Amino acid sequence: MTDEHPLYDAVVIGAGAAGLNAALTLGRARRSVLVVDAGQQRNAPARSIHNYLGHEGIAPADFLDLARREISRFGVERVTASVIAAARETETRFGLMLDNGATVRARRLLLATGLVDELPDVPGVAERWARDVLHCPYCHGWEVRDQPIGVLATSAVGVEQALLWSQWSDEVTLLAHTGPPLDDTARARLNARSVRVVEGKVRALDVVDGRLAAALLADGRRVDLTQLVVAPRFTARVTGLDGLGLEVTNWEMFGQVAGSFVAANPQGATSVPGVFAAGNVTSVTETVIGSAAAGLRAAAGLNLDLITEDTQRAMTL
């Protein structure tokens, strides 16, 4: 970040696939852009990115390094910092306070802050997250195919996850844990896909030689497995942005609140004029390639919004 742009056309908050692709798009549109990168990319613990044509299997860190080098070619600036406060200063200007002591201003904001995975409170789950504790079969299913997979039920979603993961393995076990009691229909569906059901609460995970080996039940039983599937609560990351007045909406799955997101239209415009959003902060189930595409769409919407404002200003001169 430099003093060359006391007022940026756009500040992009967040530097995952959505934020960096938005910055690339805006840089190529000849806009002055600053990316505020807190270094909290959601997929950082994962070994690789999948289902991204042309980047299949790339490590998240390598993907970010490539993306950062690409945006720099178009004059995009980047600062490693977090936003601690944000507010509208005038009708056409926002101010941001960063945790490095800097204040930056922009005509428009684009939020790509992602979400926070709130994991089940079982010892070992957080430590193994994105390694052998997983949630998305499209992200990891191929890599763990034919392995013994446990699904930790904490809600009705557990049944659906078990059915889904049975596409990748014939050794799927639903660990009833704290999920709701299974009715006859649920048991019939699970049986049709050869999913085993184990009643009882999981108290911890057993790790042997750095690898997940089993789920340990409260009654002393042991369920051997090499992968555990969980259903996190997906919460929009909006820390420090309260001053913008964003509309944060509950996300429901199977009749219960399973997360939250910032409401935005298909072009990324939020309910706050001048504030756009893209990626997992607006769509909790979005993958890396989808987030990158959303970043492009939101950047295009933001650029068009600036053009409309610039045109109106020019007409009044």
Side-chain angles (χ1 to χ4, degrees), residues 16-26 49 51-53 55 63 67 110-112 265-269 276-280 282-283 286-302:
L20 293 175
N21 210 45
L24 177 65
T25 303
L26 290 167
I49 292 171
N51 291 317
Y52 196 144
L53 193 62
H55 292 297
F63 176 83
L110 197 155
L111 311 183
N265 72 13
Q267 289 71 47
F276 291 73
N280 283 133
T282 68
S283 177
E286 197 61 272
T287 59
V288 177
I289 191 170
S291 291
L296 166 61
R297 290 193 297 271
L302 185 156

Side-chain angles (χ1 to χ4, degrees), residues 79-100:
V79 60
T80 301
S82 295
V83 175
I84 58 175
R88 182 187 298 279
E89 294 182 339
T90 70
E91 185 178 346
T92 59
R93 188 178 72 191
F94 297 90
L96 302 175
M97 291 181 60
L98 308 184
D99 62 357
N100 64 2

Side-chain angles (χ1 to χ4, degrees), residues 203-278:
R203 65 174 176 82
L205 303 183
D206 185 27
V207 177
V208 178
D209 295 330
R211 296 177 180 272
L212 180 61
L216 305 178
L217 274 59
D219 61 9
R221 286 178 294 159
R222 172 189 177 93
V223 180
D224 292 334
L225 48 85
T226 61
Q227 311 294 325
L228 181 68
V229 174
V230 301
R233 180 185 174 97
F234 304 119
T235 303
R237 191 190 299 274
V238 291
T239 302
L241 303 177
D242 294 347
L244 296 177
L246 292 166
E247 177 186 345
V248 180
T249 303
N250 285 335
W251 179 66
E252 295 187 4
M253 178 179 284
F254 298 101
Q256 67 180 40
V257 176
S260 62
F261 64 95
V262 173
N265 72 13
Q267 289 71 47
T270 72
S271 60
V272 180
V275 179
F276 291 73

Side-chain angles (χ1 to χ4, degrees), residues 149-167 169-177 179-199 229 254:
I149 299 171
V151 176
L152 186 72
T154 51
S155 69
V157 176
V159 171
E160 308 306 322
Q161 286 183 299
L163 295 171
L164 182 60
W165 278 85
S166 70
Q167 177 63 28
S169 175
D170 293 331
E171 297 183 71
V172 175
T173 298
L174 178 66
L175 302 167
H177 193 50
L182 301 177
D183 59 21
D184 291 342
T185 298
R187 291 185 181 278
R189 294 175 70 208
L190 292 166
N191 185 62
R193 295 288 289 183
S194 300
V195 175
R196 174 190 175 203
V197 177
V198 174
E199 303 290 347
V229 174
F254 298 101

Side-chain angles (χ1 to χ4, degrees), residues 59-66 68:
D62 293 340
F63 176 83
L64 290 176
D65 181 62
L66 177 63
R68 288 165 178 162

Side-chain angles (χ1 to χ4, degrees), residues 135-146:
H135 85 283
C136 173
Y138 299 104
C139 302
H140 306 288
W142 175 262
E143 283 65 39
V144 303
R145 63 194 184 280
D146 299 327

Side-chain angles (χ1 to χ4, degrees), residues 12-20 35-39 41 64 67-68 78 112-113:
V12 177
I13 307 172
L20 293 175
V35 175
V36 179
D37 182 354
Q41 286 78 12
L64 290 176
R68 288 165 178 162
R78 185 173 65 90
T113 47

